[in-house]
Amino acid sequence: MDRNAPIGVFDSGVGGLTVAREIMRRMPGERIVYFGDTARLPYGSKSQDTVLRYSRQIIRFLMTRQVKAIVIACNTASAYALKTVEQETEIPVIGVIRAGARTAVQATRNGKIGVIGTEATINSGLYTDTMKEMRPDIQVTGKACPLFVPLVEEGLFHDSVTDEIASRYLAELKSRFVDTVVLGCTHYPLIRSTLRRLMGEDVTLVNPAYETAAELEELLERKGLTCTGEADPEEKYRFYVSDLAEKFTAFATSILPDQVKETKKINIEEY
Ligand code: DGL
């Protein structure tokens, strides 16, 4: 395996850019190939079979780009597909849920944790199971927030509509006195300031992206896959989507200034 090969990162859309951003910050020498499945978003309201099929296609596509490791930068695909695809794939594959669960268990003071995510992520129960494995006495309240992804994809980060919907979703977590909330969908860090304001300063918001980047760094070191070469700046970060490449470029540029030169559209159904 070429240690200077890129890392594959994927999500249903722009959400995974919040994970790519942490990988870029932590490991500025690494190359990244990003895929956003913009034609088939959202994943959060789809069945496990469908999300698994999509994830397999994306992994096959990323393998054609000769990636050395894959990060599933999507909680929904991590919940529904990671366990299966990591056994089928020759290179290391990691998701975001274990990292997020570990950070939350370390952060809580009163043992009451809230998890917000897509319907699929919350219904899978994987955050709850993983946290309870780490600390059995923990109390976890999961809340599906299906309207957050479309609000983020529309760029409504600071908007009264987002405020109204968020305060309804968060009411249950507040009534349970959680002191830690996991942003269990990679789109949610983009509305972090709204969530912070509504939950209050005393509640810790956990963004699994930080810990995922740390886990990836450790994994690459352990496998002798840390990049040693100097990547051509024009080639360093590559972005692919299944639809609306220009819209994606405009959005991605607002999250990763100067890093997104162009986005290519591919037909993911061919993989
Ligand atoms: N960003 C994805 C996640 O972390 C999913 C959004 C969606 O497609 O529903 O769950």
Side-chain angles (χ1 to χ4, degrees), residues 53-220:
R53 183 169 72 81
Y54 291 174
S55 302
R56 282 177 165 144
Q57 286 179 320
I58 296 167
I59 289 172
R60 283 197 283 271
F61 163 69
L62 291 172
M63 296 300 278
T64 68
R65 306 287 111 178
Q66 271 86 37
V67 295
K68 61 182 172 185
I70 291 175
V71 178
I72 305 185
C74 171
N75 288 261
T76 308
S78 300
Y80 274 174
L82 175 64
K83 216 168 157 215
T84 309
V85 297
E86 68 182 347
Q87 285 164 7
E88 301 170 343
T89 314
E90 283 161 23
I91 58 169
V93 184
I94 64 168
V96 284
I97 290 186
R98 180 153 282 276
R102 195 183 319 112
T103 314
V105 167
Q106 284 161 0
T108 183
R109 288 148 285 142
N110 69 4
K112 296 184 174 122
I113 297 176
V115 181
I116 53 175
T118 64
E119 279 172 302
T121 299
I122 299 304
N123 292 343
S124 78
L126 197 58
Y127 265 109
T128 307
D129 295 349
T130 310
M131 289 196 270
K132 281 192 177 283
E133 244 171 55
M134 292 170 180
R135 200 180 130 183
D137 65 328
I138 218 97
Q139 283 177 37
V140 187
T141 306
K143 179 73 187 164
C145 305
L147 292 172
F148 280 169
V149 168
L151 288 169
V152 168
E153 290 279 332
E154 286 307 316
L156 298 173
F157 302 159
H158 309 283
D159 194 280
S160 57
V161 177
T162 308
D163 273 18
E164 168 64 25
I165 292 169
S167 59
R168 286 201 208 180
Y169 283 151
L170 299 178
E172 188 183 335
L173 301 187
K174 292 183 103 165
S175 72
R176 302 270 177 112
F177 301 103
V178 301
D179 72 354
T180 303
V181 174
V182 182
L183 309 184
C185 171
T186 52
H187 281 71
Y188 299 177
L190 299 171
I191 50 166
R192 190 191 180 101
S193 60
T194 302
L195 302 174
R196 148 84 35 248
R197 181 164 32 80
L198 294 171
M199 286 310 295
E201 289 298 324
D202 292 341
V203 173
T204 307
L205 299 184
V206 171
N207 175 1
Y210 304 123
E211 195 67 18
T212 302
E215 197 179 309
L216 175 68
E217 185 176 36
E218 192 268 325
L219 174 90
L220 295 180

Side-chain angles (χ1 to χ4, degrees), residues 1-6 31 66 68 225:
M1 177 54 66
D2 175 8
R3 60 189 306 158
N4 294 322
R31 294 163 58 201
Q66 271 86 37
K68 61 182 172 185
L225 288 174

